[in-house]
Amino acid sequence: MITRDFIAFTLAALKAHRLRTALTALGIAVGIASVILLTSIGEGLHRFVISEFTQFGTNIISITPGRIQTHGAALGAVNTVRPLGIDDALALRHAPRVQVADPLVQGNVEVVHAGKSRRVTLFGTGPDFTKALSMRMAGGEYLPPDDPHAARAFAVLGAKAATELFGADNPLGARIRIGGERYRVVGVMEARGQILGFDMDDIVMIPVARALDMFNRESLMEIRVTYEPTAPLAEVEAGLRRILLARHGAEDFTITPQQKMLDVFGTILDAITFAVAAIGGISLVVGGIGILTILTIGVAERTSEIGLLRAIGATQRRILLLFLGEAAVLAALGGAAGLALGWSIALLLEFAFPALPVHTPWFYAVLAELSAIGIGLTAGVAPARRAARLDPLEALRGE
Amino acid sequence: MIRLTGIARVFRVGDEEVHALRGINLAIEQGEYLSIMGPSGSGKSTLLNVLGLLDRPNAGRYELNGRDVTHLSDDELARVRRETIGFIFQSFHLVPRLTAGQNIELPMVLAGLAPAERRRRLDRLLADYGLTARADHRPAQLSGGQCQRVAIARAMAMGPTLILADEPTGNLDRHTGQEVMAVLERVHQDGGTVAVVTHDPEIGARARRRLRLIDGEIAEDKR
Ligand SMILES: Nc1ncnc2c1ncn2[C@@H]1O[C@H](COP(=O)(O)OP(=O)(O)OP(=O)(O)O)[C@@H](O)[C@H]1O
Ligand SMILES: [Mg+2]
């Protein structure tokens, strides 16, 4: 039998029962549509999270005190851990291919101005904080490069903190109290919005040494390093490790490249997408059962036709293939309809809720169509085998 | 062309054994036209099915065109049926969703003939059996006589050497039955070997060779 004839015969058989074919294909279509839709949302979420994380660039390395074991929790402050200090940050600035090494302390603090007070997130930073985060100033300057250990009491306000405390007034040059100490406002940041739920505008920045004093801490929380984008990560990492080892005598710190964090995130998000696709897959199984049912009925109805085909020379294999072909085409039609349906809904969602991240990779579309055909074939095996094994004579007699 | 020796066919129904064919010995020459008659249940259809390789005998030997076909595999049987045997049934057995032309084409499609060759043969068959005007009609739109003509054309599509008809006029009125027999006889005149099972003595009498089965045995063999 020529392939073209095979397909024509299959399509004719399906066309003879249009409604039945359409309903059975619909079962698969719903399954494929939900798989496509759910994976689209999963993948959209994936991309959204990754882009949130990479908006500062991917050439970032975070160094934190304490040693984190290969998988899991910090080993705590065992007495061998030395604090990560401002001098460590200064030293790291000279590591090969490093652009910025910014010391960081973070805490929650009350800011007061002219009777108004507000709780904000306080960052103790070096002068390069904005460079490390590629943030821009709305007015004034960022913290000046003072002596890191004796910096002047200057503060920079986030956009929201500034409007909340000063309203329409210009905060530049004003005196405010932060955690009970007096500071002079030297700059205001541009609005940045939220990043993964954290309001980047409701913040205040002061020199890191002062923040350490304010929180009565010995150690920085983090040193944030950016390196030349073209530099190989391994080289940069090795340079940082060498310097810190020389200063601390032991590896009592953890170097976490952004890239590695992204990999971990990617793995987690992929798992979520997969799990969500598997949920959609359940409806695909239901669609497969529909095909199994309809094909079983079809074999029963067409028993005498099968007998005839056998009488005029069709082999068992030919009968098997004909019915498997019907199952596959049925599933493929449903799959294609499901792709169109899922895709349209995804586009509609994107249009209606621009905030909802939706993305349909064509790879998933192909995979979904293939799995539809696979499910169709699987569902078709049992009825097709029953058809093939019919005794020609009995089939001819049976109506 | 055909040589049956000691062919027996036994059906088991519960504890009982039904001997549909008992030790049939029969030789049929190329180009013969024979009718098979006999009372109901005498084994006529069973004999035809054995001849057509749709049924396997429990004992005996079947030689077709000089080849022992008694123990062929299922696939080989299908192949012999496809290439050398044409069936005509009482109830036509046309595929309802296909047109007359497509029904006639079906054996050629299954055999994997090239579309051009199929087209050529189909046009000829349609003309030969007076169906050209009906090629695009479905079986439901055809009369019984036309349906049987389609079935005969289909049986002839692969140019078989053996044509087997089981009560081909059973579903037709007398006049149409005569017409269909005339068509079958043309096949015989073109050199085909034709075996017809029938209950109608008039139709049976038209054949040059007339077999009579009684209780699974050949009771009469007239030429
Ligand atoms: N599949 C079967 N199972 C059991 N018994 C069968 C089967 N097929 C035929 N028989 C029996 O074999 C015998 C011969 O049957 P067959 O159909 O050959 O008769 P027939 O001569 O064609 O009769 P009719 O003129 O009624 O068509 C009958 O007794 C019938 O009951
Ligand atoms: Mg009979």
Side-chain angles (χ1 to χ4, degrees), chain B residues 55-133:
Chain B
D55 202 358
R56 291 170 187 266
N58 299 88
R61 181 184 155 88
Y62 178 8
E63 240 176 77
L64 177 62
N65 294 328
R67 177 184 184 197
D68 184 356
V69 293
T70 326
H71 302 291
L72 292 186
S73 73
D74 195 271
D75 278 2
E76 287 168 320
L77 288 179
R79 188 195 175 91
V80 176
R81 285 199 298 267
R82 181 161 68 222
E83 288 169 357
T84 55
I85 298 172
F87 285 100
I88 296 150
F89 308 94
Q90 177 175 357
S91 53
F92 320 137
H93 276 299
L94 300 180
V95 179
R97 64 173 177 279
L98 301 180
T99 64
Q102 289 168 331
N103 266 289
I104 296 172
E105 242 186 317
L106 203 48
M108 303 189 274
V109 166
L110 285 173
L113 259 61
E117 168 68 4
R118 253 159 40 201
R119 189 75 238 167
R120 208 175 54 71
R121 288 204 206 177
L122 176 63
D123 286 343
R124 227 200 116 109
L125 287 162
L126 286 170
D128 281 357
Y129 294 92
L131 292 163
T132 307

Side-chain angles (χ1 to χ4, degrees), chain A residues 36 39-40 43 47 343 359-366:
Chain A
I36 282 296
T39 46
S40 296
E43 181 68 13
R47 296 193 170 214
W343 222 317
H359 183 86
T360 314
W362 65 265
F363 171 72
Y364 284 166
V366 171

Side-chain angles (χ1 to χ4, degrees), chain A residues 394 397, chain B residues 11-13 18-20 38-47 166-167 197 199:
Chain A
E394 274 169 33
R397 262 199 295 265
Chain B
F11 293 106
R12 260 186 189 286
V13 183
V18 180
H19 291 264
S40 186
S42 56
K44 306 183 293 292
S45 295
T46 307
L47 177 58
D166 195 349
E167 302 191 37
V197 167
H199 276 293

